[in-house]
Amino acid sequence: MVDTMALLHPFSRTARTPRTAPRPVAGLPTDNEVLLDAPDDRLGPALVAAARGEHRPAAELLAGTRARAEWEYRDRYIRRLAAFARSRPEWLQSWSAAAPHDPDALLVGAQVAVDRAWDSPARAELLREVSPLITAAARGDDRDPVPWRLALDHARGANAGHKYFGELWEAAIRRAPHHYGCHAAALRYLAASWQGSHSECFDFADRAAQDAPPDSLIQALPSRAAFACLTDGRGVEVPRERLDAAADRAIALSVRFPAADPWPAEVRNKLMYVLVRLERWQDALTEAHRIGPYATSFPWDRLSDDPLALFLKVRADVRARSAPPADPSRYPQNERAGRARPGDH
C-alpha cells in the first residue's frame, strides 16, 4: 500500500483517542466503484444534453431552482455547468443567442468569465472587465444570492477593498442569510485580506455556524477554516481544541444526511481530510463510509493533479491505520513536493 500520510502533513504525530464512537459500518466501495464529482439525478441529464449541444434541459433545471428558491442547488449547478461550458461552449452560446436576457444563461456566462480570468496571470485586470456580466446576472432575479456569491469571489480576485466587500456581503446575506456559497466566498476573501490570520477566520466561521440551523451546510464552515489553517504552510496558530471542535461540528452535520448521499459529499471529503490531519483515524474511517462512492475534487486537487487517486490512497491508509496497532512512523509530504494550495477558487 502507498504511504499517503506523507502527502498530508499531519497536524500532530501524537496518537489520539477518537472523540466520537463510530457506528458499525459495512465495507467500503471498491476503488472501481468510486466516482469523482458525480452529478446528481437532476444535473446529470442536463450535462448529457449539453454534451449534445442542447441547452434546454440546463435552462429548465436552473429556472426550476429559481422558482423554488433552491439556492444551494442553484449555486452548485451553476458551477458545474460553467465548468462544462469552458470546454464545450456550443450549448451555452446557442442558449445565450436564443435568450440573451435569460438570468440563468447570464449567470452561467458570468461564472465562465470569472473562471477564465482567474486562471490568467492578469487576473485582477481581467476580472475588472467581467464586472458588467456579474451586474447583469444580479439584475436577472433580485431574490437570487448566487450572483452575489460570484461577486464576492470577484472581489477577492480583483483585490477589492473592505468597504466594497462589505457592501457586497450585506447584499448577499439580505437575500439568503444562511447561503453556504456566499459564506464560503466571504471566508476566502477574509482569509486573503487578513493575510492568513486564522483566528479571525475561525471567529467569522464560528459565528456563522452558531447562527445557522443545525442542518445548514454552514455548520461545516468552521471545518473549512480548519482546512485553510492546516494547509497554508505557515504553521498552526489555532489551538488544537478549536480545530477539533470544528471537526466535531462538521461530523454532527454529516450524520444528519444518509450515507452515500451525493449532496454533502464535498463537505464530507473536506472533513475526512481534516480528520486525517488531526490523526482522528476512526472518525476518518467512519466519514469514508459516509462518503461511499462520492469523491470530490475539493480538497484533494489542492494536493495532487489526480484528486481521485489521492482520495483512494488516503482512504486505504485510513482503513489500515484504523486497525490496531497504528503505525505512527510515517510522515507526510505533498505529492507535488510542496505545500497544499491555499487558493480555493
Side-chain angles (χ1 to χ4, degrees):
M1 182 184 66
V2 178
D3 176 14
T4 56
M5 294 309 98
L7 305 174
L8 298 182
H9 304 288
F11 169 74
S12 168
R13 297 199 298 270
T14 304
R16 188 172 185 282
T17 302
R19 294 168 65 92
T20 57
R23 298 177 179 177
V25 286
L28 291 169
T30 66
D31 287 2
N32 290 337
E33 293 174 318
V34 176
L35 306 171
L36 183 69
D37 298 329
D40 65 18
D41 291 341
R42 292 197 291 176
L43 179 60
L47 290 172
V48 170
R52 298 194 300 261
E54 302 171 8
H55 66 267
R56 186 173 299 279
E60 292 174 350
L61 173 65
L62 293 180
T65 62
R66 270 194 303 116
R68 295 183 293 272
E70 295 176 334
W71 306 128
E72 301 291 4
Y73 280 103
R74 178 174 177 79
D75 201 352
R76 187 171 298 187
Y77 295 157
I78 289 290
R79 287 177 175 272
R80 292 293 302 276
L81 289 166
F84 188 82
R86 290 190 65 182
S87 59
R88 302 287 295 274
E90 299 82 6
W91 64 277
L92 180 58
Q93 292 168 351
S94 66
W95 182 10
S96 300
H101 303 295
D102 186 306
D104 305 314
L106 289 171
L107 186 51
V108 176
Q111 181 72 64
V112 170
V114 169
D115 291 345
R116 284 179 176 155
W118 205 273
D119 293 336
S120 170
R123 175 195 299 171
E125 180 180 351
L126 291 175
L127 283 173
R128 293 187 185 99
E129 298 174 2
V130 172
S131 293
L133 298 178
I134 300 175
T135 300
R139 289 173 176 167
D141 188 329
D142 190 58
R143 303 171 303 148
D144 187 0
V146 182
W148 299 95
R149 186 273 302 160
L150 186 56
L152 292 169
D153 281 337
H154 179 276
R156 175 168 56 96
N159 300 317
H162 286 272
K163 181 179 179 181
Y164 178 63
F165 165 80
E167 293 171 355
L168 296 177
W169 175 244
E170 289 298 327
I173 62 173
R174 186 166 61 246
R175 287 161 174 80
H178 304 303
H179 179 55
Y180 177 76
C182 288
H183 280 77
L187 184 64
R188 293 191 294 265
Y189 173 90
L190 296 173
S193 64
W194 284 331
Q195 300 180 342
S197 180
H198 296 296
S199 294
E200 287 87 347
C201 292
F202 263 96
D203 289 344
F204 170 79
D206 285 341
R207 285 194 301 268
Q210 289 164 8
D211 291 341
D215 59 351
S216 169
L217 293 180
I218 293 177
Q219 297 299 330
L221 198 66
S223 67
R224 195 171 191 120
F227 170 82
C229 178
L230 292 166
T231 57
D232 78 348
R234 287 175 285 187
V236 176
E237 68 180 57
V238 175
R240 169 68 189 240
E241 292 75 16
R242 197 165 195 184
L243 296 170
D244 281 321
D248 290 342
R249 186 183 284 275
I251 288 173
L253 174 66
S254 180
V255 300
R256 288 179 167 271
F257 297 97
D261 183 349
W263 172 249
E266 184 175 284
V267 165
R268 285 170 166 165
N269 276 250
K270 170 176 53 65
L271 173 57
M272 189 173 86
Y273 173 91
V274 170
L275 291 168
V276 167
R277 288 291 304 274
L278 298 177
E279 297 194 351
R280 294 173 57 169
W281 306 114
Q282 286 289 353
D283 286 336
L285 180 62
T286 300
E287 211 56 43
H289 282 89
R290 292 186 183 125
I291 290 169
Y294 295 112
T296 57
S297 291
F298 179 76
W300 314 109
D301 61 358
R302 301 306 186 263
L303 298 123
S304 172
D305 292 323
D306 190 343
L308 179 57
L310 180 56
F311 169 82
L312 294 173
K313 290 176 183 178
V314 171
R315 188 183 70 158
D317 212 9
V318 165
R319 179 164 45 187
R321 285 174 175 259
S322 298
D327 177 5
S329 64
R330 291 177 277 183
Y331 304 133
Q333 62 185 321
N334 195 316
E335 210 173 57
R336 294 188 178 115
R339 64 181 174 85
R341 300 199 304 267
D344 176 11
H345 174 52

